[in-house]
Amino acid sequence: MINLKRVLLTCAFSAAVIGAANAADMAVEEAPAVAPSTSGFYIGSLSSVSFLDDTSFSALGASISTDYDTGFYSSIRAGYNFGSMGFISPRVELELGYGSASVDAHSVNGAGVASIDSFGDARSFQGYVNGYLDIPLTNDGFFSAVTPFVGGGVGFMNLELRKQGVAGVATLIDDSDTQFAYHLDAGVGINLQGIGLFSDMSLFDNTTLDIGYRFTAADDFDFVARDGSASSTDFRSHAVTFGLRKQF
């Protein structure tokens, strides 16, 4: 009988020790990590190498088409990232920018004019309300720092055909007009510190490098040439874009 009591006491003591050990393990076990919020305001810039389609105007009874050299576009932007919503992260922003491209050559009624005899440029002021969807590839590892995005914007464009003309004939047009404009974008955002760049510089905390493609369009700009001829033209451009945005 004494041996049975000892056995029972020993079992009870062992169970108590094991229970206490399990309770201690549960007490020191770390709570599941909660992913930090990705939402917040951001500011940034955007620049691009732009390729403008030809524009046209009428002057001196002739139809003049204009081919452009490679141009540029630069803008500032401010927006808000709403953070993760399932498989996407939406954001909205305001953008205001300026672009320019110099005339390469004019064609008069289909006959080409030498580049050296063609002058002028096309300048634009543009403003947009933009919307984007960021599409994360993964939650960890190297590719968590690379996020594809798609989106676009709607707004306005003031287009100026500035001092365009032909040598020996003089300036034919110098006029501007404002119309509705839109753009479509696609690219990738790269978290600079996420790929190991500037990891020791707080200036680049939450900073993303955007690289992408942009198509911009606006229709029915009305112009009046120096001789009073009225005409209308459309604007189209394709651009390689790159920019920075810092989130707070």
Side-chain angles (χ1 to χ4, degrees):
M1 191 68 177
I2 294 176
N3 290 338
L4 179 58
K5 287 182 179 180
R6 287 180 177 176
V7 170
L8 292 174
L9 289 172
T10 300
C11 291
F13 178 77
S14 299
V17 171
I18 294 172
N22 289 337
D25 289 342
M26 293 176 64
V28 299
E29 184 178 356
E30 294 183 358
V34 178
S37 174
T38 58
S39 63
F41 290 96
Y42 64 86
I43 59 174
S45 63
L46 185 74
S47 297
S48 69
V49 178
S50 303
F51 305 90
L52 275 65
D53 288 357
D54 291 2
T55 61
S56 61
F57 64 93
S58 298
L60 304 177
S63 175
I64 300 169
S65 177
T66 306
D67 181 55
Y68 295 94
D69 291 328
T70 301
F72 73 90
Y73 172 77
S74 296
S75 68
I76 55 174
R77 50 188 178 146
Y80 185 81
N81 189 333
F82 291 93
S84 178
M85 294 184 179
F87 295 105
I88 59 173
S89 295
R91 50 189 170 90
V92 295
E93 66 181 34
L94 299 177
E95 176 183 333
L96 186 64
Y98 168 79
S100 181
S102 298
V103 170
D104 178 30
H106 293 299
S107 296
V108 179
N109 290 334
V113 177
S115 295
I116 196 171
D117 294 325
S118 302
F119 59 85
D121 53 26
R123 296 183 178 182
S124 65
F125 290 94
Q126 304 176 39
Y128 300 103
V129 177
N130 300 331
Y132 295 98
L133 295 177
D134 294 328
I135 309 169
L137 297 175
T138 180
N139 292 326
D140 52 31
F142 176 83
F143 287 103
S144 65
V146 180
T147 305
F149 65 83
V150 294
V154 295
F156 74 90
M157 178 188 297
N158 176 267
L159 177 63
E160 178 185 12
L161 301 185
R162 180 180 178 275
K163 296 182 178 180
Q164 295 192 12
V166 177
V169 180
T171 298
L172 299 176
I173 193 170
D174 187 9
D175 196 15
S176 65
D177 189 25
T178 302
Q179 294 293 342
F180 170 82
Y182 68 92
H183 64 85
L184 302 173
D185 299 21
V188 294
I190 303 171
N191 185 294
L192 294 179
Q193 292 188 335
I195 59 172
L197 295 178
F198 310 110
S199 56
D200 297 327
M201 300 178 65
S202 60
L203 176 65
F204 290 95
D205 288 347
N206 298 318
T207 299
T208 301
L209 169 66
D210 291 325
I211 301 174
Y213 162 82
R214 171 175 287 191
F215 169 75
T216 305
D219 295 331
D220 300 327
F221 290 97
D222 295 324
F223 296 110
V224 178
R226 285 286 179 86
D227 69 345
S229 300
S231 56
S232 178
T233 193
D234 299 333
F235 178 97
R236 298 286 186 274
S237 76
H238 305 267
V240 177
T241 62
F242 49 94
L244 294 171
R245 51 187 162 94
K246 181 177 177 62
Q247 186 164 307
F248 299 94

